[in-house]
Amino acid sequence: MLFKNKAKDTRKLVQSGNASLVLGTDLEVEKQIKMIHLTEEDLEIAKALQPFVEKNLAVLVERFYQNLENQPSLLHIINDHSSITRLKQTLTVHISEMFAGVINSHYFEKRKRIAHVHVKIGLQTKWYMCAFQDLLLSLITIIEESLTDREEIFQSVRSVTKILNLEQQLVLE
Ligand code: HEM
């Protein structure tokens, strides 16, 4: 079980206290987070999901790059600026970190850097969003295959969509 029942109707994460949401002084980001209802509890859930994600990460990353083959120009961009082998490693680390349950200044700086890198290589928003949707579907499959409790599954999907939404807001800004 991902969650344990502390009282009859209070669900508590197995390892609560692992997550942290540190916003700093950016009031606009604070509003963005508020408007998608992302809370520390979502980060706790992400952290609880991390082992399941890590177990399936190699397959997820493989599928991610296979999907890019639908648009050969993306492979050209990758080969001009990096390599699939290198980016597979980068993405593996990045997705694992997305489930670390921590949002802090380092988190925001990294998203700024990713945005900058993607602009520099000329990655169009529509392809980034296609890749992101593929990522979301893979994560939903992992949740579906790893958990059995219906409420836990829905709660996990809700948290993951919030985390991915914030990432898109920051990277596409
Ligand atoms: C770099 C994530 C989509 C091409 C990166 C980096 C990350 C990342 C974490 C490293 C940034 C750094 O230096 O710190 C993602 C995520 C994506 C996504 C999460 C969507 C879910 C794409 C797509 C392409 C792409 C669709 C296709 C062209 C690249 C390239 C670099 C890069 C070529 C390296 C550029 C360089 O080193 O100069 N990406 N990416 N990315 N990404 Fe993406």
Side-chain angles (χ1 to χ4, degrees):
M1 287 279 270
L2 184 62
F3 306 99
K4 71 177 175 201
N5 284 328
K6 224 186 169 189
K8 205 171 178 203
D9 34 40
T10 350
R11 286 179 166 267
K12 200 92 177 88
L13 275 163
V14 174
Q15 292 177 304
S16 67
N18 268 341
S20 91
L21 180 53
V22 182
L23 290 176
T25 52
D26 191 332
L27 292 178
E28 197 152 294
V29 169
E30 196 176 330
K31 270 188 223 158
Q32 288 168 249
I33 287 176
K34 197 173 174 191
M35 281 182 77
I36 60 167
H37 313 287
L38 176 70
T39 63
E40 228 165 55
E41 197 193 349
D42 293 304
L43 300 185
E44 296 276 9
I45 291 169
K47 182 68 187 162
L49 290 171
Q50 196 181 39
F52 302 115
V53 172
E54 284 181 345
K55 202 172 142 209
N56 294 283
L57 207 41
V59 175
L60 181 156
V61 169
E62 200 56 47
R63 173 182 149 144
F64 182 94
Y65 285 99
Q66 236 166 44
N67 192 38
L68 298 191
E69 289 171 12
N70 285 307
Q71 176 57 20
S73 69
L74 297 176
L75 301 181
H76 296 146
I77 294 180
I78 290 174
N79 291 324
D80 285 350
H81 297 275
S82 181
S83 71
I84 300 253
T85 314
R86 231 175 73 195
L87 283 185
K88 274 184 181 169
Q89 286 164 7
T90 308
L91 191 66
T92 301
V93 172
H94 186 68
I95 292 170
S96 175
E97 280 177 9
M98 280 166 83
F99 288 84
V102 177
I103 291 185
N104 54 20
S105 59
H106 172 76
Y107 171 98
F108 292 113
E109 278 157 27
K110 185 170 183 193
R111 271 73 197 165
K112 251 191 209 163
R113 201 169 67 233
I114 296 171
H116 182 73
V117 163
H118 285 162
V119 168
K120 211 176 77 188
I121 63 171
L123 175 61
Q124 287 178 279
T125 302
K126 62 183 172 189
W127 303 126
Y128 173 78
M129 294 204 47
C130 289
F132 227 90
Q133 183 62 21
D134 179 64
L135 180 60
L136 173 62
L137 293 175
S138 291
L139 291 169
I140 291 175
T141 303
I142 292 172
I143 291 167
E144 194 184 357
E145 289 175 354
S146 308
L147 307 179
T148 50
D149 183 276
R150 185 176 179 277
E151 183 49 36
E152 286 182 0
I153 291 174
F154 274 105
Q155 200 160 0
S156 298
V157 169
R158 274 194 292 271
S159 298
V160 167
T161 59
K162 291 182 205 178
I163 289 164
L164 261 59
N165 180 282
L166 178 63
E167 175 105 9
Q168 288 178 84
Q169 289 182 46
L170 298 170
V171 172
L172 294 177
E173 195 172 72

